[in-house]
Amino acid sequence: QVQLVESGGGLVQPGGSLRLSCEASGSTFIFSSFVLTWYRQAAGKERELVAHIGTAGDATNYAGSVMGRFTISRDNAKNTVYLQMNSLQPEDTAVYYCNAVPLAGGVPAWGQGTQVTVSS
């Protein structure tokens, strides 16, 4: 079983930056074998995919609304995935969740979420 813990959320002004982290832990898992995704859910809206990264970190894709502003990365030695968010806008306000799925298939793991609020 993999446990995911997000951190780094908070209140930021429009145009500002935040870096989210998601650290994985658990027994008998190999972090580098997991595909990792950041999702977000704004109040009253459905959860949406923000960014996705492959096991080696060399394959990424992004939602159109964040492309060019957000960067996903991973450090397999630290069992951590990051989301660098620049040029934040009020519409980026949401709870951000980390998701991990084994490349070979299996039950996905979710973190508890971290709140990001963009407001002046």
Side-chain angles (χ1 to χ4, degrees):
Q1 188 74 14
V2 177
Q3 289 83 45
L4 302 174
V5 178
E6 300 100 334
S7 61
L11 174 65
V12 64
Q13 292 187 342
S17 298
L18 283 175
R19 187 195 196 201
L20 305 184
S21 300
C22 173
E23 183 174 3
S25 63
S27 59
T28 66
F29 84 101
I30 301 173
F31 183 75
S32 60
S33 68
F34 283 75
V35 175
L36 304 167
T37 307
W38 284 98
Y39 289 83
R40 68 185 181 186
Q41 187 167 19
K45 296 187 177 181
E46 294 187 354
R47 191 170 296 188
E48 63 174 354
L49 185 149
V50 176
H52 171 93
I53 188 166
T55 56
D58 56 348
T60 59
N61 63 65
Y62 298 89
S65 59
V66 308
M67 197 170 297
R69 300 187 298 123
F70 290 12
T71 302
I72 188 171
S73 61
R74 65 189 294 165
D75 186 336
N76 287 340
K78 295 182 178 180
N79 291 349
T80 302
V81 60
Y82 305 97
L83 186 68
Q84 177 66 45
M85 306 186 295
N86 299 327
S87 301
L88 284 160
Q89 300 301 317
E91 53 266 34
D92 296 316
T93 295
V95 178
Y96 284 71
Y97 297 92
C98 175
N99 169 277
V101 179
L103 182 62
V107 178
W110 290 90
Q112 82 290 349
T114 185
Q115 176 71 47
V116 171
T117 302
V118 185
S119 175
S120 56

